Amino acid sequence: MAPGGFVDWRGNTINKEVHGGVRAAWFLYVLTVVSNVAIIPNLLNLVSYLHGTMHMGVSGSATTTTNVFGATSGFALIGAFLSDSYITRSRTMLLFGPFMFLGYGLLALQAYLPSLHPPPCNIETELNNCKETNLTMKIPLSPANGPASLTVAAGLPFYRNQVPEGSPLTRILQVLVVAFRNRKLELPEKLEEAQESCIGTRACSVDALSQTDNLKFLNKACINHGKNGDWSVCSVAKVEDTKIVLRVLPLFISSMISYISNVILFTFTVQQGGMTNTRLGKIHVSPATLFIIPTTFQLIMLAVYDQFIVPFLRRRTGYVGGVTHLQRIGIGFASMLLASVIAAIVEKKRKEAVVQMSLFWLAPQFFLLGVADVTSFTGLLEFFNSEAPRGMKSIATALFWCELGLASLMATLLVEIVNSATRHGHHGGWLEGTTLNSSHLDLFYWVVAVLGLLGFFNYLYWAKKYVYQHNPHIVETYADQDPL
């Protein structure tokens, strides 16, 4: 194994002057830009496409979109598991690249062929004449970009690839099983490493060998009672890694609940925009293009945040990032809560307005979604990545995407529950109308706001109890901690 556990794409020892660094990172920057050029416009316009072209109802177009996002985000966990356990991260991206390209090909084919979507009509004015798409068209298609795979391949000679250390899920399961088997044994005052020497490896690091005071019952997995093997005795490093994962789980669940409102606002706000006056002078503005507002704000805010806000807050709080990751995430969840309230008020005003409301009345909730992305989105990603053990970095990042995916699926479930609870006789549920004018999106937004408030308080409870693995007051630097 190469020093630090890194090799080049051929499996040879790395050369620090050639592998890693800014040059390797540039390929990932291009990958991110190229991928998002395709992914973001498709996600933003998917609701409008399903509603306007495929003639799905209000809830159908929204839940199909959340299902697509949930499915694609959930698959990140599979890729991360393969990456950390068996193959390198760059090879994982190359492996799944063709599947991504196939997903876009199917989506383009479905949109192009008239036989694969209903006859055209205006669903807003011809309610009884529009035929909805059949069930086969509701299959989630994974978004993709072929050029992205070529970009990854071009950078192969420059990447540092971390050597997989086996399945982290297996290591966690070993600790849980051994600790349960040893539950009746007495825990000695000082635990020793068993059946493996940690000299020169990650297991000797201070972080790995610092026994924490919480979850002490797991320490019994380190007791050596004469039997050998990974399923009989575990190292302190394995136990500590398992503790980190278990301690993060409550925050993972509470953050997922809080993120439901973001997913719902994301999908239904585009539908709101379709019912407003979308003209700016002689220019027709697509509702999905309103996301330029939060995107532009993100670009400006990130620069201002890093250059001015962080240094100011650092002097005030002593934290390296100005605020902790969990504080930053909490700001984002508060923004989502406020966005839900504003969205409910704006939707009620839209339905009551005599003259069609301007599209730009939706700008405040778009703006707050941008605030949430700058804070909670990046905060969650940095939190999972910084707190995860080194051998689980890919899975930590995938957990973030999996959290967004599960929040999307829970958003679908919430829509179905609300529709079921508000359905009376021949009257459909709040979101079962053909258009928003025959639905009660404003009332649904208040439900989302209440859920967001409960989720926010639940998050604050677990965030206050959490103790960071790494001191947020100290700049932590690690040699050879490159992403690929």
Side-chain angles (χ1 to χ4, degrees):
M1 181 182 292
F6 288 92
V7 295
D8 66 7
W9 70 290
R10 297 177 183 272
N12 301 321
T13 303
I14 61 170
N15 182 346
K16 292 185 178 181
E17 296 182 358
V18 177
H19 303 102
V22 177
R23 178 167 50 183
W26 269 109
F27 290 95
L28 301 183
Y29 296 152
V30 174
L31 164 67
T32 303
V33 172
V34 172
S35 298
N36 284 297
V37 163
I39 293 173
I40 293 178
N42 275 278
L43 282 178
L44 294 181
N45 289 284
L46 188 58
V47 176
S48 300
Y49 172 73
L50 293 174
H51 183 64
T53 303
M54 304 303 289
H55 306 158
M56 290 186 182
V58 173
S59 61
S61 55
T63 55
T64 301
T65 301
T66 54
N67 287 340
V68 169
F69 187 73
T72 53
S73 299
F75 275 109
L77 195 59
I78 299 176
F81 175 78
L82 293 175
S83 172
D84 280 350
S85 305
Y86 304 108
I87 59 179
T88 60
R89 300 168 192 173
S90 56
R91 289 177 180 173
T92 302
M93 289 189 286
L94 290 175
L95 175 65
F96 286 95
F99 293 98
M100 297 166 64
F101 179 78
L102 177 62
Y104 263 139
L106 291 174
L107 183 60
L109 184 66
Q110 191 274 331
Y112 177 76
L113 296 177
S115 60
L116 295 182
H117 47 78
C121 75
N122 190 336
I123 195 171
E124 306 297 340
T125 59
E126 305 175 59
L127 301 182
N128 298 324
N129 297 326
C130 288
K131 182 180 179 182
E132 184 178 347
T133 179
N134 57 52
L135 293 176
T136 58
M137 294 297 102
K138 296 184 180 180
I139 299 175
L141 301 174
S142 59
N145 205 332
S149 298
L150 295 178
T151 302
V152 174
L156 280 178
F158 307 105
Y159 298 146
R160 295 182 185 181
N161 297 280
Q162 185 172 343
V163 178
E165 301 178 4
S167 170
L169 301 181
T170 301
R171 297 198 296 272
I172 293 174
L173 184 60
Q174 288 170 349
V175 172
L176 296 176
V177 170
V178 176
F180 179 77
R181 288 176 177 173
N182 297 346
R183 65 189 183 279
K184 296 182 179 180
L185 299 179
E186 291 293 330
L187 190 65
E189 294 184 1
K190 184 177 180 181
L191 295 173
E192 301 292 339
E193 290 284 347
Q195 300 303 321
E196 73 176 27
S197 174
C198 71
I199 298 177
T201 67
R202 181 184 70 86
C204 275
S205 68
V206 175
D207 290 329
L209 295 178
S210 61
Q211 289 177 244
T212 54
D213 292 331
N214 56 1
L215 300 174
K216 284 187 175 182
F217 68 93
L218 293 179
N219 293 345
K220 292 188 176 183
C222 299
I223 299 176
N224 187 349
H225 49 83
K227 294 184 179 180
N228 297 324
D230 291 333
W231 295 95
S232 298
V233 62
C234 298
S235 67
V236 175
K238 278 186 182 180
V239 172
E240 292 302 309
D241 286 354
T242 303
K243 287 182 181 181
I244 293 171
V245 174
L246 294 180
R247 286 169 55 237
V248 167
L249 279 181
L251 283 167
F252 173 84
I253 296 173
S254 60
S255 298
M256 177 180 62
I257 295 173
S258 298
Y259 232 100
I260 295 175
S261 58
N262 182 276
V263 176
I264 289 174
L265 286 169
F266 177 85
T267 53
F268 282 104
T269 298
V270 176
Q271 293 198 57
Q272 278 182 284
M275 302 296 292
T276 60
N277 183 0
T278 60
R279 301 199 67 84
L280 181 61
K282 296 183 178 181
I283 302 175
H284 170 70
V285 181
S286 170
T289 60
L290 266 189
F291 275 94
I292 293 176
I293 295 174
T295 302
T296 303
F297 171 76
Q298 288 172 36
L299 294 175
I300 298 173
M301 184 61 186
L302 283 173
V304 173
Y305 184 83
D306 289 335
Q307 296 298 318
F308 301 102
I309 298 179
V310 169
F312 172 77
L313 292 177
R314 184 182 296 144
R315 290 192 295 268
R316 295 277 183 172
T317 65
Y319 294 123
V320 174
V323 294
T324 66
H325 294 318
L326 295 179
Q327 289 172 343
R328 188 175 182 181
I329 295 166
I331 294 172
F333 290 156
S335 299
M336 294 178 199
L337 175 60
L338 182 59
S340 302
V341 173
I342 292 176
I345 296 173
V346 170
E347 175 61 12
K348 182 174 177 60
K349 294 293 184 183
R350 185 198 67 78
K351 292 182 68 175
E352 295 175 347
V354 178
V355 181
Q356 193 176 39
M357 179 183 286
S358 170
L359 174 67
F360 293 94
W361 277 97
L362 302 179
Q365 61 205 67
F366 274 98
F367 176 81
L368 288 170
L369 288 176
V371 175
D373 277 348
V374 170
T375 51
S376 65
F377 190 92
T378 54
L380 277 168
L381 186 59
E382 291 175 357
F383 171 72
F384 285 132
N385 189 60
S386 63
E387 291 296 287
R390 185 168 182 174
M392 300 183 187
K393 293 296 183 182
S394 294
I395 285 187
T397 304
L399 276 178
F400 164 73
W401 290 107
C402 186
E403 178 172 83
L404 300 186
L406 290 174
S408 299
L409 298 178
M410 291 181 69
T412 299
L413 180 62
L414 178 63
V415 171
E416 298 296 337
I417 291 175
V418 169
N419 280 336
S420 177
T422 57
R423 192 181 299 128
H424 301 289
H426 298 290
H427 298 283
W430 283 355
L431 301 174
E432 290 184 321
T434 307
T435 68
L436 286 183
N437 287 336
S438 57
S439 303
H440 297 282
L441 181 59
D442 54 333
L443 299 179
F444 178 68
Y445 274 151
W446 285 116
V447 174
V448 173
V450 172
L451 179 64
L453 181 63
L454 296 176
F456 181 63
F457 284 132
N458 181 47
Y459 167 80
L460 290 180
Y461 172 79
W462 293 109
K464 187 176 181 180
K465 293 187 63 173
Y466 187 80
V467 179
Y468 285 91
Q469 175 72 11
H470 305 296
N471 191 336
H473 288 89
I474 302 173
V475 178
E476 307 250 357
T477 57
Y478 301 95
D480 301 325
Q481 193 178 4
D482 292 83
L484 288 172

